[in-house]
């Protein structure tokens, strides 16, 4: 079974840093885009950053210059380095990946369980 496991969330003071990791495992043939989303209480889920298989990255305007997304394809892992964190960054962060599983050979979107990031003022 394909699964995405996230780690690295926690509590940090404003101005601090966190590094999130998301490792995909299971019967995977290939992975296309990997990305990070977040959802704060009472708000819609929003795209934070994406990293395509071709190396293209995109960021939400609110995190540009502060967050960096990266991938290690040998480990099927995507990272999100978050610097200069602000209280408004507080949210549950979700990893997502478009995966082509070995069993189905049909691409689908997979999601991690989410990891809480809390930034105190």
């Amino acid at each position: 079974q394909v699964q995405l496991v996230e780690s690295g969330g926690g509590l940090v003071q404003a101005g601090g840093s966190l590094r999130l990791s998301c490792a995909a495992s299971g019967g995977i043939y290939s992975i296309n885009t990997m990305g990070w989303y977040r959802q704060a209480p009472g708000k819609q889920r929003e795209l934070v950053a994406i990293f395509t298989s071709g190396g293209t990255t995109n960021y939400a305007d609110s995190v540009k210059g502060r967050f960096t997304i990266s991938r290690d394809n040998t480990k099927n892992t995507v990272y999100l380095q978050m610097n200069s964190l602000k209280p408004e960054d507080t949210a549950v962060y979700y990893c997502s990946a478009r995966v082509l599983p070995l069993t189905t050979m049909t691409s689908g979107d997979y999601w991690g369980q989410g990891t809480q990031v809390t930034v105190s003022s």
Side-chain angles (χ1 to χ4, degrees):
Q1 295 272 28
V2 175
Q3 66 174 13
L4 276 58
V5 179
E6 298 159 305
S7 62
L11 175 64
V12 65
Q13 291 185 330
S17 299
L18 286 173
R19 190 192 192 208
L20 306 183
S21 299
C22 172
S25 62
I28 297 172
Y29 181 80
S30 64
I31 301 176
N32 195 333
T33 300
M34 301 188 80
W36 292 93
Y37 295 74
R38 67 186 182 187
Q39 187 166 23
K43 296 183 178 180
Q44 293 184 332
R45 185 173 299 183
E46 65 173 343
L47 175 67
V48 177
I50 57 172
F51 198 131
T52 71
S53 60
T56 301
T57 60
N58 285 289
Y59 298 90
D61 287 341
S62 60
V63 307
K64 285 181 179 177
R66 300 187 298 118
F67 292 9
T68 302
I69 188 170
S70 60
R71 286 176 69 166
D72 185 343
N73 291 327
T74 66
K75 299 178 180 179
N76 285 334
T77 299
V78 63
Y79 306 92
L80 186 67
Q81 179 66 47
M82 304 185 294
N83 298 325
S84 301
L85 283 162
K86 304 175 181 179
E88 49 263 46
D89 294 318
T90 296
V92 177
Y93 283 70
Y94 297 91
C95 172
S96 182
R98 176 159 285 270
V99 177
L100 182 62
L102 285 168
T103 54
T104 64
M105 292 300 291
T106 301
S107 293
D109 293 329
Y110 291 81
W111 294 84
Q113 78 285 357
T115 184
Q116 177 70 46
V117 172
T118 302
V119 184
S120 62
S121 59

